[in-house]
Amino acid sequence: MSFAPERCSVVPVPLRWSDMDAYGHVNNVQFLRLLEDARILAFAEWFGRARSVVGEGIIVARHEIEYRAPLVFRIEPIEVAMWVTRLTGASYDIGYEVRDGGVGSTAYALAETTLVGYDFEAERPRRLDPVDRDSLSTFLGPAVPFRHNSAKRAERSSS
């Protein structure tokens, strides 16, 4: 079962031998690196290769990860599907599905990252460039279906 929307970026990300922990699966902390690697590659598609959105000023404000299945090391890369789940004047959230190759394959993790436009000289958040907002809006999709969100919705509807 795939959780990613049809309109998303899908990036292959190789695993490293050093990603494994003593239990023989990819360590939970390494998932953040996998997400970062995928995000940087997707940004080339979303914003073009001629510039670096990261270098222009963007910071990570939040990560949330829900682990769904153990990921063991293999030579073949995993896939990370990414889409924008929320877009505001100065920030946006990116949803992720870490999976085997192909839609409907094993989902190892669902995640979301909040990124904020940042002016490093002024040391404060900045508004997103309108061209970047337009680019991001083409990848706008649904919220990440975290299990805790489903539980909260069920709890509210039963009250």
Side-chain angles (χ1 to χ4, degrees):
M1 173 180 189
S2 181
F3 298 95
E6 198 171 305
R7 177 73 171 127
C8 65
S9 290
V10 179
V11 178
V13 179
L15 299 175
R16 300 179 307 189
W17 182 256
S18 61
D19 291 341
M20 282 193 304
D21 61 18
Y23 300 108
H25 62 268
V26 174
N27 185 277
N28 64 313
V29 173
Q30 294 304 324
F31 275 80
L32 289 175
R33 182 197 55 85
L34 296 172
L35 299 178
E36 179 182 52
D37 289 351
R39 192 169 54 245
I40 296 304
L41 292 170
F43 280 2
E45 176 187 351
W46 294 5
F47 303 111
R49 294 182 183 272
R51 58 188 275 248
S52 169
V53 174
V54 174
E56 293 171 12
I58 196 141
I59 59 171
V60 172
R62 181 187 68 88
H63 286 299
E64 182 174 353
I65 301 176
E66 179 178 284
Y67 302 98
R68 297 250 170 173
L71 174 58
V72 296
F73 178 80
R74 78 286 190 87
I75 298 300
E76 300 79 26
I78 49 100
E79 279 186 355
V80 179
M82 289 166 286
W83 66 99
V84 176
T85 61
R86 187 181 62 88
L87 182 58
T88 70
S91 70
Y92 53 100
D93 293 349
I94 298 177
Y96 309 85
E97 180 184 24
V98 179
R99 64 190 188 196
D100 286 323
V103 174
S105 61
T106 300
Y108 297 103
L110 298 177
E112 189 172 65
T113 299
T114 299
L115 297 167
V116 178
Y118 198 76
D119 182 333
F120 288 109
E121 279 188 34
E123 297 181 343
R124 62 181 180 83
R126 65 169 175 81
R127 300 209 43 90
L128 298 174
D129 180 281
V131 173
D132 292 345
R133 283 182 51 78
D134 286 346
S135 178
L136 290 166
S137 69
T138 64
F139 293 95
L140 203 52
V144 176
F146 291 119
R147 287 183 178 125
H148 71 83
N149 290 346
S150 299
K152 285 180 189 174
R153 282 192 298 273
E155 186 178 295
R156 279 190 296 239
S157 65
S158 67
S159 322

